[in-house]
């Protein structure tokens, strides 16, 4: 009877350990959030894949008044180990029109050039380089979108390049805007700017295309609010109109994860595998001025709806296949 009891106890303990291990593997350990992708305070991350390498371009966080003055790039071959590539744009050094509030960057590539879109002094700027890690130079010597020209704040730029090479600039806090860029990627016709505001929209627009559908994603609430989260809408055109998806947010906090938002998305080249980069309050003790950058898997259902992201699921090492990297280079 004692032997049976011991065996039973061992089985129960072993079973509990296996269950706990499986739970952690599946990302359901809601008491222990995965470590951030990048060390230290970093927010508003833009994630991209060029060649066989992933890149992250964040806002340097943890500075009073969100007062960062430069941008850095990070690179990875597998989405897990990230290398700091250093400063790629320094506002006081590289710009003549702004020297503060370096926020919310984005990256796009076209015709062998890399175009870095960013916020500086509540304006949208653009810089260009021959490499995803720079050095970047200001090609126009002024804001691409100046402050107070359009409704809402001129912050949070994102550029989507469609399959036909057409590029579209999105931006705005409090109000969203979109305009088709000229072939030079650094100018546009102001008369063609479209203003719109999906229900719940606050900031951080991001556009992706999958199976012929355009997805506009954005952040709701305020970045200082623990409820900060990501919603989306769908259109048949990069200019809209957009129909907001029902259901729960694509991304939101849970348990120790708070303020999950201001995201970007990357497709693993040559696959239908997707990852979302975003920030959350630093764990422990973070807030809307002290945030950290995370990466999580993102999936679609059979109907093309974006499934809610599990912020507790750990990222597995995911390399870009050589054939896919060659097609993109």
């Amino acid at each position: 009877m004692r032997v049976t009891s011991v065996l039973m106890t061992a089985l129960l303990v072993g079973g509990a350990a296996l269950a706990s291990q499986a739970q952690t593997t599946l990302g359901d350990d809601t008491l222990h959030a995965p470590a951030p992708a990048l060390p230290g305070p970093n927010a508003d991350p833009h994630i991209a894949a060029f060649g066989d390498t992933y890149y992250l371009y964040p806002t340097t966080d943890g500075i009073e008044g969100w007062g960062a003055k430069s941008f850095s790039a990070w690179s990875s071959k597998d989405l897990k180990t990230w290398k700091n590539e250093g400063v790629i744009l320094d506002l006081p050094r590289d710009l003549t029109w702004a020297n503060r509030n370096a926020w919310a960057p984005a990256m796009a590539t076209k015709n062998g050039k890399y175009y870095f879109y960013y916020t500086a002094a509540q304006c949208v700027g653009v810089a260009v380089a021959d490499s995803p890690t720079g050095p970047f130079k200001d090609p126009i010597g002024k804001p691409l979108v100046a402050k107070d020209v359009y409704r809402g704040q001129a912050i949070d730029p994102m550029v989507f390049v469609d399959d036909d090479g057409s590029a579209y600039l999105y931006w705005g806090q409090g109000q969203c805007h979109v305009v088709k860029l000229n072939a030079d990627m650094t100018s546009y016709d102001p008369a063609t700017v479209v203003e719109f505001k999906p229900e719940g929209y606050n900031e951080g627009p991001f556009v992706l295309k999958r199976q012929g559908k355009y997805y506009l994603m954005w952040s709701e609430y305020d970045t200082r609010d623990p409820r900060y989260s990501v919603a989306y809408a769908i259109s048949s055109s990069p200019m809209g109109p957009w129909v907001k998806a029902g259901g729960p947010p694509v991304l939101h906090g849970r348990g120790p994860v708070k303020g999950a938002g201001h995201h970007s998305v990357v497709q693993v080249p040559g696959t239908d595998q997707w990852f979302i980069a975003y920030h959350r309050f630093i764990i422990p003790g973070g807030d809307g001025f002290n945030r950290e950058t995370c990466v999580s898997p993102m999936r679609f259902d059979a109907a093309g709806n974006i499934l809610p992201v599990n912020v507790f699921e750990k990222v597995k090492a995911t390399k870009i296949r050589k054939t896919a990297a060659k097609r993109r280079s």
Side-chain angles (χ1 to χ4, degrees):
M1 191 72 171
R2 181 176 178 277
V3 172
T4 303
S5 176
V6 170
L7 285 172
M8 209 46 166
T9 301
L11 287 170
L12 287 171
V13 171
L18 287 172
S20 175
Q21 183 180 10
Q23 184 182 55
T24 302
T25 301
L26 292 172
D28 292 329
D29 181 7
T30 57
L31 297 179
H32 305 91
L38 304 181
N42 292 282
D44 314 326
H46 182 92
I47 191 168
F50 302 124
D52 65 350
T53 306
Y54 301 98
Y55 295 89
L56 274 171
Y57 304 93
T59 298
T60 301
D61 209 18
I63 300 170
E64 185 178 354
W66 294 311
K69 295 184 178 182
S70 64
F71 293 100
S72 297
W74 297 73
S75 66
S76 174
K77 297 293 186 180
D78 62 2
L79 286 175
K80 289 183 68 67
T81 302
W82 292 90
K83 174 187 175 184
N84 189 343
E85 298 287 353
V87 172
I88 61 171
L89 187 73
D90 182 274
L91 303 192
R93 180 191 68 198
D94 300 328
L95 302 185
T96 59
W97 54 270
N99 63 6
R100 59 185 174 82
N101 301 123
W103 303 340
M107 184 71 77
T109 185
K110 186 177 177 181
N111 300 327
K113 298 286 187 180
Y114 295 88
Y115 297 89
F116 186 66
Y117 301 88
Y118 56 91
T119 304
Q122 288 76 47
C123 301
V124 171
V126 60
V128 64
D130 294 323
S131 160
T133 56
F136 284 86
K137 301 297 182 183
D138 179 1
I140 59 176
K142 62 181 180 179
L144 182 60
V145 182
K147 183 180 180 180
D148 297 331
V149 175
Y150 302 95
R151 286 188 293 176
Q153 285 201 83
I155 65 174
D156 299 355
M158 184 269 167
V159 167
F160 167 73
V161 181
D162 209 347
D163 301 330
D164 64 359
S166 299
Y168 301 85
L169 170 67
Y170 303 81
W171 78 89
Q173 190 274 332
Q175 186 82 25
C176 196
H177 308 79
V178 58
V179 67
K180 186 176 180 179
L181 289 172
N182 293 329
D184 61 10
M185 298 287 282
T186 62
S187 64
Y188 56 89
D189 180 356
T192 62
V193 172
V194 175
E195 293 189 349
F196 62 102
K197 186 175 182 179
E199 180 186 356
Y201 177 91
N202 182 40
E203 60 190 9
F206 187 90
V207 171
L208 64 90
K209 185 179 184 181
R210 179 181 182 270
Q211 298 182 358
K213 295 180 181 178
Y214 297 88
Y215 295 75
L216 169 71
M217 307 172 73
W218 64 84
S219 291
E220 302 193 335
Y221 298 102
D222 183 88
T223 191
R224 293 161 289 191
D225 191 324
R227 297 173 298 171
Y228 200 52
S229 53
V230 172
Y232 77 99
I234 295 177
S235 177
S236 59
S237 165
M239 298 288 290
W242 303 93
V243 178
K244 186 176 181 180
V250 171
L251 178 73
H252 65 94
R254 184 158 56 108
V257 177
K258 294 179 172 57
H262 204 122
H263 77 298
S264 58
V265 175
V266 67
Q267 180 182 14
V268 181
T271 75
D272 192 32
Q273 196 171 4
W274 301 77
F275 291 88
I276 185 169
Y278 57 95
H279 69 235
R280 70 188 183 200
F281 291 2
I282 284 179
I283 298 174
D287 56 24
F289 294 95
N290 290 276
R291 301 157 296 178
E292 56 192 3
T293 287
C294 303
V295 178
S296 297
M298 190 183 88
R299 301 179 178 89
F300 297 79
D301 68 15
N305 302 303
I306 304 176
L307 296 171
V309 172
N310 183 353
V311 294
F312 294 93
E313 182 178 1
K314 294 180 179 179
V315 170
K316 296 179 181 178
T318 306
K319 294 186 176 181
I320 299 173
R321 294 190 304 227
K322 290 183 179 179
T323 52
K326 287 181 181 178
R327 284 198 299 268
R328 289 182 61 88
S329 61

